[in-house]
Amino acid sequence: MRLLFAAMAAGSLALATGASAQAVKIGMTVSTTGPAASLGIPEANTAKLMPKEIGGIPVEVIVLDDASDTTKGVANTRKLLTDDKVDVVVGSSTTPVSLAMLEVASEMKAPMISLAASAAIVSPMDEKRRWVFKTPQNDRLMADALVDYMAAQKVKSVAFIGFNDAYGDGWLNVITPALKEKNIQLVATERYARTDTSVTGPVLKLMAAKPEAVLVAGSGTPAALPQKTLKERGYAGKIYQTHGVANADFLRVGGKDVEGTILPAGPVLVAAQLPETNPVKKAGLDYVQKYEAMFGAGSANTFGAHANDALVLLQAAIPVAAKNAKPGTPEFRAALRDALEGLKDVVYSQGVVTMTKDDHVGQDKRARVMVTIENGAWKLLPEAATQ
């Protein structure tokens, strides 16, 4: 009888311990309103797919809207870390907001996983960026794929129009040397704001340079404006976009004017079209199926997948960090940072990741494919499928 009571007491203690276990808190700040809403909404939706516990550790996700605004993103980050006492911050949707947020994350020594594209978020590596990781592909990885494709199409001259912020800066900085390496001439450069409602002036300047192709370096629905204006003005050359447009809203807003557009993208965008030998196909399809089961057929996109992949990284890193520290403490934040940096061969919806102390993206060519828009849908370009 004493043994029975001892066993029952031990079981009760285990249940009590499990029930009172400190939850890992994940704070997300993404752009569910403002110019980047088409990116932030699927990212926020994806948080609903996060499991309630990881390795027996409860998980709580807090999602805030930064309205595509740098000041709001910084305020959200500080609130999440100070008031909500989260262990890690995920976000934001855009490069300018993410660059501002990393200042707070590093100051408070908390790991951050950005959902924005620019390599400037994680490099050059320094004391601040050692706390920051990101899931979208670096611009240069995508720029190389894009320029290789341009060269294969025998393009000799390109004009550039991009956002007049860190996203446009990043793309101009990587596309310029990439074009030079392939002996493709950059004949004109123009910039515009995410909130602009007309880009007629810049487009006319681009067309005056008579480029064989135009690259639009924007993200979300605002990236459709230059392309629609080019078409309205009778431009007949090739038009390329970046991986910042890979969602259904871009297709909807662009309509017939974006038919035939070519861009590099994460493989999840065309997961069903990937060859069976592609190591990312299973993870990509798994995300798409789960997301669309909750939000409807055709609703999954690249940006939600970036959020999913941040959560996949955390699912791999949290159990490792929990062996060394208790959630809710500075020690756990540091251990989680170390665990993220030590991840190897993690397969998620957009690639296969191995982090290092100098590389907080950890991707290779398996994180990209080339796609086009055909009949209002994304189509994998076969010659790019094995890159």
Side-chain angles (χ1 to χ4, degrees), residues 23 44 74 83 86 96 121 130 146 190 192 219 234 237 240 243 314 319 329:
V74 169
D83 298 344
V86 302
I121 297 166
R130 71 182 293 268
L146 188 58
E190 294 291 332
Y192 73 108
S219 63
Y240 299 90
H243 55 310
L314 288 172
T329 64

Side-chain angles (χ1 to χ4, degrees), residues 57-69:
I57 305 169
V59 176
E60 178 183 348
V61 183
I62 302 168
V63 182
L64 302 178
D65 172 28
D66 57 42
S68 313
D69 179 76

Side-chain angles (χ1 to χ4, degrees), residues 287-305:
Y287 169 70
V288 170
Q289 290 164 0
K290 287 180 179 177
Y291 188 95
E292 294 188 351
M294 185 173 290
F295 299 103
S299 58
N301 64 59
T302 294
F303 303 106

Side-chain angles (χ1 to χ4, degrees), residues 76-116:
N76 283 354
T77 304
R78 197 168 293 279
K79 177 186 181 301
L80 288 167
L81 291 170
T82 303
D83 298 344
D84 298 308
K85 302 187 184 309
V86 302
D87 298 293
V88 57
V89 174
V90 176
S92 179
S93 311
T94 69
T95 293
V97 182
S98 292
L99 286 170
M101 286 169 52
L102 74 82
E103 298 288 337
V104 181
S106 62
E107 171 197 331
M108 302 191 72
K109 294 181 166 43
M112 166 182 156
I113 305 177
S114 174
L115 307 180

Side-chain angles (χ1 to χ4, degrees), residues 106 116 153 156 217 336 345:
S106 62
Q153 291 191 306
K156 297 298 182 185
L336 186 56
D345 296 323

Side-chain angles (χ1 to χ4, degrees), residues 10 14 39 45 58 150 225 259 319 326 359:
L39 285 62
N45 287 344
M150 289 178 180
L225 181 60
E259 281 288 308
K326 182 180 178 181
D359 182 0

